[in-house]
Coordinates of all heavy atoms in Angstrom, one line a residue:
M1 N 0.8 -1.2 0.0 CA 0.0 0.0 0.0 C 0.9 1.2 0.0 O 1.8 1.3 0.7 CB -0.9 0.0 1.2 CG -1.9 1.1 1.3 SD -3.1 1.0 2.5 CE -2.3 1.5 3.9
M2 N 0.5 2.2 -0.8 CA 1.4 3.4 -0.9 C 0.9 4.4 0.1 O -0.2 4.4 0.5 CB 1.2 3.9 -2.3 CG 1.8 3.1 -3.4 SD 1.7 3.8 -5.1 CE 2.8 5.2 -4.8
L3 N 1.8 5.3 0.5 CA 1.5 6.4 1.4 C 0.8 7.5 0.7 O 1.0 7.7 -0.5 CB 2.8 6.9 2.0 CG 3.6 6.0 3.0 CD1 4.9 6.6 3.2 CD2 2.8 5.7 4.2
D4 N 0.0 8.2 1.5 CA -0.7 9.4 0.9 C 0.4 10.5 0.8 O 1.5 10.3 1.3 CB -1.8 9.9 1.8 CG -3.0 9.0 1.8 OD1 -3.2 8.3 0.8 OD2 -3.7 9.0 2.9
D5 N 0.1 11.6 0.2 CA 1.1 12.7 0.0 C 1.7 13.2 1.2 O 2.9 13.4 1.3 CB 0.4 13.8 -0.9 CG 0.1 13.4 -2.3 OD1 0.7 12.4 -2.8 OD2 -0.7 14.1 -2.9
T6 N 0.9 13.5 2.2 CA 1.4 14.2 3.4 C 2.3 13.2 4.2 O 3.5 13.7 4.5 CB 0.2 14.7 4.4 OG1 -0.5 15.6 3.7 CG2 0.8 15.3 5.6
P7 N 2.0 12.0 4.5 CA 2.9 11.1 5.2 C 4.2 10.9 4.4 O 5.3 10.9 4.9 CB 2.2 9.8 5.4 CG 0.8 10.2 5.3 CD 0.6 11.3 4.4
R8 N 4.1 10.7 3.1 CA 5.3 10.5 2.2 C 6.1 11.7 2.3 O 7.4 11.7 2.5 CB 4.9 10.3 0.8 CG 6.1 10.0 -0.1 CD 5.7 9.6 -1.5 NE 4.6 10.3 -2.1 CZ 3.4 9.7 -2.4 NH1 3.2 8.5 -2.1 NH2 2.4 10.4 -2.9
K9 N 5.6 12.9 2.2 CA 6.4 14.2 2.3 C 7.0 14.3 3.7 O 8.2 14.7 3.7 CB 5.5 15.4 2.0 CG 6.2 16.7 1.9 CD 5.3 17.8 1.4 CE 6.2 19.0 1.1 NZ 5.4 20.0 0.4
L10 N 6.3 14.0 4.8 CA 6.9 14.1 6.1 C 8.0 13.1 6.2 O 9.1 13.5 6.9 CB 5.8 13.9 7.1 CG 4.6 14.9 7.2 CD1 3.6 14.4 8.2 CD2 5.1 16.2 7.5
L11 N 7.9 11.9 5.8 CA 9.0 11.0 5.9 C 10.2 11.4 5.1 O 11.3 11.3 5.7 CB 8.5 9.6 5.3 CG 9.4 8.4 5.4 CD1 9.8 8.1 6.8 CD2 8.9 7.2 4.7
R12 N 10.1 11.9 4.0 CA 11.2 12.4 3.2 C 11.9 13.6 3.9 O 13.1 13.7 4.0 CB 10.8 12.9 1.7 CG 10.1 11.8 0.9 CD 11.0 10.5 0.8 NE 12.3 10.7 0.5 CZ 13.3 10.1 1.1 NH1 13.1 9.1 1.9 NH2 14.6 10.3 0.7
I13 N 11.1 14.5 4.4 CA 11.6 15.7 5.2 C 12.4 15.2 6.4 O 13.6 15.6 6.6 CB 10.5 16.7 5.6 CG1 9.9 17.4 4.4 CG2 11.0 17.6 6.7 CD1 8.7 18.2 4.7
M14 N 11.8 14.3 7.2 CA 12.4 13.8 8.4 C 13.7 13.0 8.0 O 14.8 13.2 8.7 CB 11.5 12.8 9.1 CG 10.3 13.5 9.7 SD 9.1 12.3 10.4 CE 9.9 11.7 11.8
Y15 N 13.7 12.2 7.0 CA 14.9 11.5 6.6 C 16.0 12.4 6.2 O 17.2 12.3 6.7 CB 14.5 10.5 5.5 CG 15.7 9.7 5.0 CD1 16.1 8.5 5.7 CD2 16.4 10.0 3.9 CE1 17.1 7.8 5.3 CE2 17.5 9.3 3.4 CZ 17.8 8.1 4.2 OH 18.9 7.4 3.8
H16 N 15.7 13.4 5.3 CA 16.8 14.3 4.8 C 17.2 15.2 5.9 O 18.4 15.6 6.0 CB 16.3 15.0 3.6 CG 16.3 14.2 2.4 ND1 17.4 13.5 1.8 CD2 15.2 13.7 1.7 CE1 17.0 12.8 0.8 NE2 15.7 12.9 0.7
Y17 N 16.3 15.7 6.7 CA 16.6 16.6 7.8 C 17.5 16.0 8.8 O 18.5 16.5 9.2 CB 15.4 17.1 8.5 CG 15.5 18.3 9.3 CD1 15.2 19.6 8.8 CD2 16.0 18.3 10.6 CE1 15.4 20.8 9.6 CE2 16.1 19.4 11.4 CZ 15.9 20.7 10.9 OH 16.0 21.8 11.6
S18 N 17.2 14.7 9.2 CA 18.1 14.1 10.2 C 19.5 13.8 9.6 O 20.4 13.8 10.4 CB 17.4 12.7 10.6 OG 17.3 11.8 9.5
G19 N 19.6 13.5 8.3 CA 20.8 13.2 7.7 C 21.7 14.5 7.7 O 22.9 14.4 7.8
H20 N 21.1 15.6 7.5 CA 21.8 16.9 7.4 C 22.1 17.5 8.7 O 23.2 17.9 8.9 CB 21.0 17.9 6.5 CG 21.7 19.1 6.2 ND1 22.7 19.2 5.3 CD2 21.6 20.4 6.7 CE1 23.2 20.4 5.2 NE2 22.5 21.2 6.1
F21 N 21.1 17.6 9.6 CA 21.3 18.2 10.9 C 21.5 17.3 12.0 O 21.7 17.7 13.2 CB 20.1 19.1 11.2 CG 19.9 20.3 10.2 CD1 18.9 20.3 9.2 CD2 20.8 21.4 10.3 CE1 18.8 21.3 8.4 CE2 20.6 22.4 9.4 CZ 19.6 22.4 8.5
K22 N 21.5 16.0 11.8 CA 21.7 15.0 12.8 C 20.6 15.1 14.0 O 20.9 14.7 15.1 CB 23.1 15.0 13.5 CG 24.2 15.0 12.5 CD 24.2 13.8 11.7 CE 25.4 13.7 10.8 NZ 25.1 13.3 9.4
R23 N 19.5 15.5 13.6 CA 18.3 15.6 14.6 C 17.0 15.7 13.7 O 17.1 16.0 12.5 CB 18.4 16.7 15.5 CG 18.3 18.1 14.9 CD 18.3 19.2 15.9 NE 18.1 20.5 15.3 CZ 17.0 21.1 15.0 NH1 15.9 20.5 15.2 NH2 17.0 22.3 14.4
L24 N 15.9 15.4 14.4 CA 14.6 15.6 13.6 C 14.1 17.0 13.8 O 14.4 17.7 14.8 CB 13.6 14.6 14.2 CG 13.9 13.1 13.8 CD1 12.9 12.2 14.5 CD2 14.0 12.9 12.3
P25 N 13.3 17.4 12.8 CA 12.8 18.8 12.9 C 11.7 18.9 14.0 O 11.0 18.0 14.3 CB 12.1 19.0 11.6 CG 11.9 17.7 11.0 CD 12.9 16.8 11.6
T26 N 11.6 20.1 14.5 CA 10.5 20.5 15.5 C 9.3 20.7 14.7 O 9.2 20.8 13.5 CB 11.0 21.8 16.3 OG1 11.0 22.8 15.4 CG2 12.2 21.6 17.1
M27 N 8.2 20.9 15.4 CA 6.9 21.1 14.8 C 6.9 22.4 14.0 O 6.4 22.4 12.8 CB 5.8 21.1 15.9 CG 4.4 21.4 15.3 SD 3.8 20.1 14.1 CE 3.1 18.9 15.2
P28 N 7.4 23.5 14.5 CA 7.4 24.7 13.6 C 8.3 24.5 12.4 O 7.9 25.0 11.3 CB 8.0 25.8 14.5 CG 7.8 25.3 15.9 CD 7.8 23.8 15.9
E29 N 9.4 23.8 12.5 CA 10.2 23.5 11.3 C 9.5 22.6 10.4 O 9.5 22.8 9.1 CB 11.5 22.9 11.8 CG 12.5 23.8 12.5 CD 13.6 23.1 13.1 OE1 13.5 21.9 13.5 OE2 14.6 23.8 13.3
M30 N 8.8 21.7 10.9 CA 8.0 20.7 10.1 C 6.9 21.5 9.3 O 6.6 21.2 8.1 CB 7.4 19.6 10.9 CG 7.0 18.4 10.1 SD 8.4 17.7 9.2 CE 8.3 16.1 10.0
E31 N 6.2 22.4 10.0 CA 5.2 23.3 9.4 C 5.8 24.0 8.2 O 5.2 24.1 7.1 CB 4.6 24.2 10.4 CG 3.7 23.6 11.4 CD 3.2 24.6 12.4 OE1 2.5 25.6 11.9 OE2 3.4 24.5 13.6
R32 N 6.9 24.7 8.5 CA 7.6 25.5 7.5 C 8.0 24.7 6.3 O 7.8 25.0 5.1 CB 8.8 26.2 8.1 CG 9.5 27.1 7.1 CD 10.7 27.9 7.8 NE 11.6 27.0 8.5 CZ 12.6 26.3 7.9 NH1 12.8 26.4 6.6 NH2 13.4 25.6 8.7
L33 N 8.6 23.5 6.5 CA 9.2 22.7 5.4 C 8.1 22.0 4.7 O 8.3 21.8 3.4 CB 10.2 21.7 6.0 CG 11.5 22.3 6.6 CD1 12.2 21.2 7.4 CD2 12.3 22.9 5.6
S34 N 7.0 21.5 5.3 CA 6.0 20.8 4.6 C 4.9 21.6 4.0 O 4.2 21.2 3.1 CB 5.4 19.7 5.5 OG 4.7 20.3 6.5
G35 N 4.7 22.8 4.6 CA 3.6 23.6 4.3 C 2.2 23.0 4.7 O 1.1 23.4 4.2
R36 N 2.3 22.2 5.7 CA 1.1 21.5 6.3 C 0.8 22.1 7.7 O 1.6 22.7 8.3 CB 1.2 20.0 6.4 CG 1.7 19.3 5.2 CD 0.6 19.4 4.1 NE 0.7 18.3 3.1 CZ 1.4 18.4 2.0 NH1 2.1 19.5 1.7 NH2 1.4 17.4 1.1
T37 N -0.5 22.0 8.1 CA -0.9 22.5 9.4 C -0.4 21.4 10.5 O -0.2 20.3 10.2 CB -2.4 22.6 9.5 OG1 -3.0 21.3 9.3 CG2 -3.0 23.6 8.4
P38 N -0.4 21.9 11.8 CA 0.0 20.9 12.8 C -0.9 19.7 12.8 O -0.5 18.6 13.1 CB -0.1 21.7 14.1 CG 0.1 23.1 13.6 CD -0.4 23.2 12.3
V39 N -2.2 19.9 12.6 CA -3.1 18.8 12.7 C -2.9 17.8 11.6 O -2.8 16.6 11.8 CB -4.6 19.3 12.6 CG1 -5.6 18.2 12.4 CG2 -5.0 20.2 13.7
A40 N -2.6 18.3 10.4 CA -2.2 17.4 9.3 C -0.9 16.7 9.5 O -0.8 15.5 9.1 CB -2.2 18.2 7.9
I41 N 0.0 17.4 10.1 CA 1.4 16.8 10.4 C 1.2 15.6 11.4 O 1.7 14.5 11.2 CB 2.3 17.8 10.9 CG1 2.7 18.8 9.8 CG2 3.6 17.2 11.5 CD1 3.4 20.0 10.2
R42 N 0.4 15.9 12.4 CA 0.2 14.8 13.5 C -0.5 13.6 12.9 O -0.2 12.5 13.1 CB -0.6 15.4 14.6 CG 0.3 16.4 15.5 CD -0.4 16.8 16.8 NE -0.5 15.7 17.8 CZ 0.6 15.3 18.5 NH1 1.7 15.8 18.4 NH2 0.4 14.3 19.4
K43 N -1.5 13.9 12.0 CA -2.2 12.8 11.3 C -1.3 12.0 10.4 O -1.3 10.8 10.4 CB -3.4 13.4 10.5 CG -4.2 12.4 9.9 CD -5.4 13.0 9.2 CE -6.2 12.0 8.4 NZ -7.2 12.6 7.5
G44 N -0.4 12.7 9.7 CA 0.6 12.0 8.8 C 1.6 11.2 9.6 O 1.9 10.1 9.3
L45 N 2.0 11.7 10.8 CA 2.9 11.0 11.6 C 2.3 9.8 12.2 O 3.0 8.8 12.3 CB 3.5 11.9 12.7 CG 4.4 13.0 12.2 CD1 4.8 14.0 13.4 CD2 5.7 12.5 11.6
L46 N 1.1 9.9 12.6 CA 0.3 8.7 13.1 C 0.2 7.6 12.1 O 0.4 6.4 12.4 CB -1.1 9.1 13.6 CG -1.1 9.9 14.9 CD1 -2.5 10.4 15.2 CD2 -0.6 9.0 16.1
E47 N 0.0 8.0 10.8 CA -0.1 7.0 9.7 C 1.3 6.4 9.5 O 1.3 5.2 9.3 CB -0.5 7.7 8.4 CG -0.8 6.7 7.3 CD -1.3 7.4 6.0 OE1 -2.1 8.3 6.2 OE2 -1.0 6.8 4.9
L48 N 2.4 7.2 9.6 CA 3.7 6.6 9.4 C 4.0 5.6 10.6 O 4.6 4.6 10.4 CB 4.7 7.7 9.4 CG 4.8 8.6 8.2 CD1 5.7 9.8 8.4 CD2 5.2 7.8 7.0
A49 N 3.6 6.0 11.8 CA 3.8 5.1 12.9 C 2.9 3.8 12.8 O 3.5 2.7 13.1 CB 3.5 5.8 14.2
D50 N 1.8 3.9 12.3 CA 0.9 2.8 12.2 C 1.4 1.8 11.1 O 1.3 0.6 11.3 CB -0.6 3.2 11.7 CG -1.3 3.8 12.9 OD1 -0.9 3.7 14.0 OD2 -2.3 4.5 12.6
Q51 N 2.1 2.3 10.1 CA 2.6 1.5 9.1 C 4.1 1.2 9.3 O 4.8 0.6 8.4 CB 2.4 2.2 7.7 CG 1.0 2.3 7.3 CD 0.8 2.8 5.9 OE1 1.7 2.7 5.0 NE2 -0.4 3.4 5.7
N52 N 4.6 1.5 10.5 CA 6.0 1.1 10.9 C 7.1 1.8 10.0 O 8.1 1.1 9.9 CB 6.1 -0.4 11.0 CG 5.3 -1.0 12.1 OD1 5.2 -0.5 13.1 ND2 4.8 -2.1 11.8
Y53 N 6.8 3.0 9.6 CA 7.9 3.7 9.0 C 8.7 4.5 10.0 O 9.9 4.7 9.9 CB 7.3 4.7 7.9 CG 6.9 4.1 6.6 CD1 5.6 3.8 6.4 CD2 7.9 3.8 5.6 CE1 5.2 3.2 5.2 CE2 7.5 3.2 4.5 CZ 6.1 2.9 4.2 OH 5.8 2.4 3.1
I54 N 8.0 4.8 11.1 CA 8.7 5.5 12.2 C 8.2 4.8 13.5 O 7.1 4.2 13.6 CB 8.4 7.0 12.3 CG1 6.9 7.3 12.5 CG2 9.0 7.7 11.0 CD1 6.6 8.8 12.7
S55 N 9.0 5.0 14.6 CA 8.5 4.7 15.9 C 8.3 6.0 16.6 O 9.3 6.8 16.8 CB 9.6 3.9 16.6 OG 9.3 3.6 17.9
W56 N 7.1 6.2 17.1 CA 6.8 7.5 17.7 C 5.6 7.4 18.6 O 4.6 6.8 18.3 CB 6.5 8.6 16.6 CG 6.1 9.9 17.1 CD1 6.9 10.8 17.9 CD2 4.9 10.6 16.9 NE1 6.2 12.0 18.1 CE2 5.0 11.9 17.5 CE3 3.7 10.3 16.2 CZ2 4.0 12.8 17.5 CZ3 2.7 11.2 16.1 CH2 2.8 12.4 16.8
N57 N 5.8 8.0 19.8 CA 4.7 8.1 20.8 C 3.9 9.4 20.6 O 4.6 10.5 20.7 CB 5.2 8.0 22.2 CG 4.1 8.1 23.3 OD1 3.0 8.4 23.0 ND2 4.5 7.8 24.5
P58 N 2.7 9.3 20.2 CA 2.0 10.6 19.9 C 1.8 11.6 21.0 O 1.5 12.7 20.8 CB 0.5 10.1 19.4 CG 0.6 8.7 19.5 CD 1.9 8.2 20.0
H59 N 2.1 11.1 22.3 CA 2.1 12.0 23.4 C 3.4 12.8 23.6 O 3.4 13.5 24.6 CB 1.7 11.2 24.6 CG 0.4 10.5 24.5 ND1 -0.8 11.1 24.4 CD2 0.1 9.1 24.4 CE1 -1.8 10.2 24.3 NE2 -1.2 9.0 24.3
T60 N 4.3 12.6 22.8 CA 5.6 13.3 22.9 C 5.8 14.2 21.7 O 5.0 14.2 20.7 CB 6.8 12.3 22.9 OG1 6.8 11.5 21.8 CG2 6.6 11.4 24.2
T61 N 6.9 14.9 21.6 CA 7.2 15.8 20.5 C 7.7 15.0 19.3 O 8.1 13.8 19.4 CB 8.2 16.9 20.9 OG1 9.4 16.2 21.3 CG2 7.8 17.7 22.1
I62 N 7.7 15.7 18.2 CA 8.2 15.0 16.9 C 9.6 14.6 17.0 O 10.0 13.5 16.4 CB 8.0 15.9 15.7 CG1 6.5 16.3 15.5 CG2 8.6 15.4 14.5 CD1 6.3 17.4 14.5
E63 N 10.4 15.4 17.7 CA 11.9 15.1 17.8 C 12.2 13.8 18.4 O 13.3 13.3 18.3 CB 12.6 16.3 18.6 CG 12.4 17.6 18.0 CD 11.3 18.4 18.7 OE1 10.1 17.9 18.5 OE2 11.6 19.4 19.4
T64 N 11.2 13.2 19.2 CA 11.5 11.9 19.8 C 11.2 10.7 18.9 O 11.5 9.6 19.3 CB 10.6 11.7 21.1 OG1 9.2 11.8 20.7 CG2 10.9 12.9 22.1
A65 N 10.7 10.9 17.7 CA 10.5 9.9 16.8 C 11.8 9.2 16.3 O 12.9 9.8 16.3 CB 9.7 10.4 15.5
V66 N 11.7 8.0 15.9 CA 12.8 7.2 15.3 C 12.4 6.7 14.0 O 11.4 6.1 13.8 CB 13.2 6.1 16.3 CG1 14.3 5.2 15.6 CG2 13.6 6.5 17.6
I67 N 13.3 7.0 13.0 CA 12.9 6.6 11.6 C 13.3 5.1 11.5 O 14.5 4.7 11.7 CB 13.7 7.5 10.6 CG1 13.3 8.9 10.7 CG2 13.4 6.9 9.2 CD1 14.1 9.9 9.8
I68 N 12.4 4.2 11.1 CA 12.7 2.8 11.0 C 13.0 2.6 9.5 O 13.9 1.9 9.2 CB 11.4 2.0 11.4 CG1 11.2 2.2 12.8 CG2 11.7 0.5 11.1 CD1 9.8 1.6 13.3
E69 N 12.2 3.2 8.6 CA 12.4 2.9 7.2 C 12.3 4.3 6.5 O 11.2 4.9 6.6 CB 11.3 2.0 6.7 CG 11.6 1.4 5.4 CD 10.7 0.2 5.0 OE1 10.0 -0.2 6.0 OE2 10.7 -0.2 3.9
G70 N 13.3 4.8 5.9 CA 13.4 6.1 5.3 C 12.8 6.3 3.9 O 12.7 7.4 3.4
W71 N 12.4 5.2 3.2 CA 11.9 5.3 1.9 C 10.6 4.5 1.8 O 10.4 3.6 2.6 CB 12.8 4.7 0.9 CG 14.1 5.4 0.8 CD1 15.3 5.1 1.5 CD2 14.4 6.5 0.0 NE1 16.3 6.0 1.1 CE2 15.8 6.9 0.2 CE3 13.6 7.3 -0.9 CZ2 16.3 7.9 -0.4 CZ3 14.2 8.4 -1.5 CH2 15.6 8.7 -1.3
E72 N 9.7 5.1 1.0 CA 8.4 4.3 0.8 C 8.7 2.9 0.2 O 9.5 2.8 -0.6 CB 7.6 5.1 -0.1 CG 6.1 4.6 -0.2 CD 5.3 5.5 -1.1 OE1 5.8 6.4 -1.8 OE2 4.1 5.3 -1.0
R73 N 7.9 2.0 0.7 CA 8.1 0.6 0.3 C 7.5 0.5 -1.2 O 6.6 1.2 -1.5 CB 7.3 -0.4 1.2 CG 7.8 -0.3 2.6 CD 7.0 -1.2 3.5 NE 7.4 -1.0 4.9 CZ 6.6 -0.5 5.7 NH1 5.3 -0.1 5.4 NH2 7.0 -0.2 7.0
E74 N 8.1 -0.4 -1.9 CA 7.7 -0.6 -3.3 C 6.3 -1.3 -3.3 O 6.1 -2.3 -2.5 CB 8.7 -1.5 -4.0 CG 9.0 -0.9 -5.3 CD 10.2 -1.7 -6.0 OE1 11.1 -2.2 -5.3 OE2 10.1 -1.8 -7.2
D75 N 5.5 -0.9 -4.2 CA 4.1 -1.5 -4.3 C 4.3 -2.7 -5.3 O 4.3 -2.5 -6.5 CB 3.2 -0.4 -4.9 CG 1.7 -1.0 -5.0 OD1 1.5 -2.1 -4.4 OD2 0.9 -0.4 -5.6
T76 N 4.4 -3.8 -4.7 CA 4.6 -5.0 -5.5 C 3.3 -5.5 -6.2 O 3.4 -6.4 -7.0 CB 5.1 -6.2 -4.6 OG1 4.2 -6.4 -3.6 CG2 6.5 -5.9 -4.0
T77 N 2.2 -4.8 -6.0 CA 1.0 -5.2 -6.7 C 0.7 -4.5 -7.9 O -0.2 -4.8 -8.7 CB -0.3 -5.1 -5.7 OG1 -0.4 -3.7 -5.4 CG2 -0.1 -5.9 -4.4
S78 N 1.5 -3.4 -8.2 CA 1.2 -2.6 -9.4 C 1.6 -3.4 -10.6 O 2.5 -4.2 -10.6 CB 2.0 -1.3 -9.3 OG 3.4 -1.6 -9.5
E79 N 0.9 -3.0 -11.7 CA 1.2 -3.7 -13.0 C 2.6 -3.4 -13.5 O 3.3 -4.2 -14.1 CB 0.2 -3.2 -14.0 CG -1.2 -3.8 -13.8 CD -2.2 -3.4 -14.9 OE1 -1.8 -3.1 -16.0 OE2 -3.4 -3.3 -14.6
R80 N 3.1 -2.1 -13.3 CA 4.4 -1.7 -13.8 C 5.4 -2.6 -13.0 O 6.4 -3.0 -13.6 CB 4.6 -0.3 -13.5 CG 5.9 0.3 -13.9 CD 6.0 1.8 -13.7 NE 7.2 2.3 -14.2 CZ 7.4 3.4 -14.5 NH1 6.5 4.3 -14.5 NH2 8.6 3.8 -14.9
Y81 N 5.3 -2.8 -11.7 CA 6.2 -3.6 -11.0 C 6.2 -5.0 -11.5 O 7.3 -5.6 -11.7 CB 5.8 -3.5 -9.5 CG 6.8 -4.4 -8.6 CD1 8.0 -3.8 -8.1 CD2 6.5 -5.7 -8.3 CE1 8.8 -4.6 -7.3 CE2 7.4 -6.5 -7.6 CZ 8.5 -5.9 -7.0 OH 9.3 -6.7 -6.2
Q82 N 5.0 -5.5 -11.7 CA 4.9 -6.9 -12.2 C 5.6 -7.1 -13.5 O 6.3 -8.1 -13.7 CB 3.4 -7.4 -12.2 CG 2.8 -7.3 -10.9 CD 3.2 -8.4 -9.9 OE1 3.7 -9.5 -10.4 NE2 3.1 -8.1 -8.7
A83 N 5.3 -6.2 -14.4 CA 5.9 -6.3 -15.8 C 7.4 -6.2 -15.8 O 8.1 -6.9 -16.5 CB 5.3 -5.2 -16.7
T84 N 7.9 -5.3 -15.0 CA 9.4 -5.1 -14.9 C 10.0 -6.3 -14.3 O 11.0 -6.8 -14.9 CB 9.7 -3.9 -14.0 OG1 9.1 -2.8 -14.5 CG2 11.2 -3.6 -14.0
H85 N 9.5 -6.8 -13.2 CA 10.1 -8.0 -12.6 C 9.9 -9.3 -13.4 O 10.8 -10.2 -13.4 CB 9.7 -8.1 -11.2 CG 10.4 -7.1 -10.3 ND1 10.0 -5.8 -10.3 CD2 11.4 -7.2 -9.4 CE1 10.8 -5.1 -9.5 NE2 11.6 -5.9 -8.9
R86 N 8.8 -9.4 -14.1 CA 8.6 -10.6 -15.0 C 9.6 -10.6 -16.1 O 10.1 -11.6 -16.4 CB 7.1 -10.6 -15.4 CG 6.8 -11.8 -16.3 CD 5.4 -11.7 -16.8 NE 4.9 -10.5 -17.4 CZ 4.0 -9.7 -16.8 NH1 3.5 -9.9 -15.7 NH2 3.7 -8.6 -17.5
S87 N 9.9 -9.4 -16.7 CA 10.8 -9.4 -17.8 C 12.2 -9.8 -17.4 O 12.9 -10.4 -18.2 CB 10.8 -8.0 -18.5 OG 11.3 -7.1 -17.6
F88 N 12.6 -9.4 -16.2 CA 13.9 -9.8 -15.8 C 14.0 -11.3 -15.4 O 15.0 -11.9 -15.6 CB 14.3 -8.9 -14.5 CG 14.6 -7.5 -14.9 CD1 14.0 -6.5 -14.2 CD2 15.4 -7.2 -15.9 CE1 14.2 -5.2 -14.5 CE2 15.7 -5.8 -16.3 CZ 15.1 -4.8 -15.5
Q89 N 12.9 -11.8 -14.9 CA 12.9 -13.2 -14.5 C 12.8 -14.1 -15.7 O 13.4 -15.2 -15.8 CB 11.7 -13.5 -13.5 CG 11.9 -12.8 -12.2 CD 10.7 -12.9 -11.3 OE1 9.7 -13.3 -11.8 NE2 10.8 -12.4 -10.2
T90 N 12.0 -13.8 -16.7 CA 11.8 -14.7 -17.8 C 12.6 -14.4 -19.0 O 12.7 -15.2 -19.9 CB 10.3 -14.6 -18.3 OG1 10.0 -13.3 -18.7 CG2 9.3 -15.0 -17.1
G91 N 13.2 -13.2 -19.0 CA 14.1 -12.9 -20.2 C 13.2 -12.4 -21.4 O 13.8 -12.3 -22.4
N92 N 12.0 -12.2 -21.3 CA 11.2 -11.7 -22.4 C 11.4 -10.3 -22.7 O 12.0 -9.6 -21.9 CB 9.7 -12.1 -22.3 CG 9.1 -11.5 -21.1 OD1 9.5 -10.4 -20.7 ND2 8.0 -12.1 -20.6
L93 N 10.8 -9.8 -23.7 CA 11.0 -8.4 -24.1 C 9.9 -7.4 -23.5 O 9.8 -6.3 -24.0 CB 11.0 -8.3 -25.6 CG 12.2 -9.0 -26.2 CD1 12.1 -8.9 -27.8 CD2 13.5 -8.5 -25.7
D94 N 9.1 -7.9 -22.6 CA 8.0 -7.0 -22.1 C 8.6 -5.7 -21.5 O 8.0 -4.6 -21.7 CB 7.3 -7.7 -20.9 CG 6.4 -8.8 -21.4 OD1 6.2 -8.9 -22.6 OD2 5.9 -9.5 -20.6
Y95 N 9.8 -5.7 -20.9 CA 10.4 -4.6 -20.3 C 10.5 -3.5 -21.4 O 10.2 -2.3 -21.2 CB 11.7 -4.9 -19.7 CG 12.4 -3.6 -19.2 CD1 12.1 -3.1 -18.0 CD2 13.4 -3.0 -19.9 CE1 12.6 -1.9 -17.5 CE2 14.0 -1.8 -19.4 CZ 13.6 -1.4 -18.2 OH 14.3 -0.2 -17.8
W96 N 11.0 -3.8 -22.5 CA 11.3 -2.8 -23.6 C 10.0 -2.4 -24.3 O 10.0 -1.3 -24.9 CB 12.3 -3.5 -24.6 CG 13.5 -3.9 -23.9 CD1 13.9 -5.2 -23.6 CD2 14.5 -3.0 -23.4 NE1 15.1 -5.2 -23.0 CE2 15.5 -3.8 -22.8 CE3 14.7 -1.7 -23.3 CZ2 16.6 -3.4 -22.1 CZ3 15.8 -1.2 -22.7 CH2 16.8 -2.0 -22.1
Q97 N 9.0 -3.3 -24.3 CA 7.7 -2.9 -24.9 C 7.0 -1.9 -24.0 O 6.3 -1.0 -24.6 CB 6.9 -4.1 -25.2 CG 7.5 -5.0 -26.2 CD 6.7 -6.3 -26.4 OE1 5.9 -6.6 -25.4 NE2 7.0 -7.0 -27.4
Y98 N 7.1 -2.0 -22.7 CA 6.3 -1.1 -21.8 C 6.9 0.1 -21.5 O 6.3 1.0 -20.9 CB 5.9 -1.9 -20.6 CG 4.9 -3.0 -20.9 CD1 5.3 -4.4 -20.7 CD2 3.7 -2.8 -21.4 CE1 4.4 -5.4 -20.9 CE2 2.8 -3.8 -21.6 CZ 3.2 -5.1 -21.4 OH 2.3 -6.1 -21.7
Y99 N 8.3 0.3 -21.7 CA 9.0 1.5 -21.3 C 9.6 2.2 -22.4 O 10.3 1.8 -23.2 CB 10.0 1.1 -20.2 CG 9.4 0.5 -19.0 CD1 9.4 -0.9 -18.8 CD2 8.8 1.3 -18.1 CE1 8.8 -1.4 -17.7 CE2 8.1 0.7 -17.0 CZ 8.2 -0.6 -16.8 OH 7.6 -1.1 -15.7

């Protein structure tokens, strides 16, 4: 299952921010960087926590979150994914026909 726009954006911001500044952004920084409201940010973070992209207690600040997986998982049910991986496994030319 793919992430919605807000959780995906928050995950990317958190990942890159932590890599650059060696800490996670605060709520005001997250608002500024994402252009989202605090309510939308908390909702997005809860979705990330529910899907195990981050470990975070909603009763604490954003900075206490831990990133478990910094990239969105590949959707293995999509037709594009199936066609690409089938072509590599079987050696047929589907890959070149679809791309």
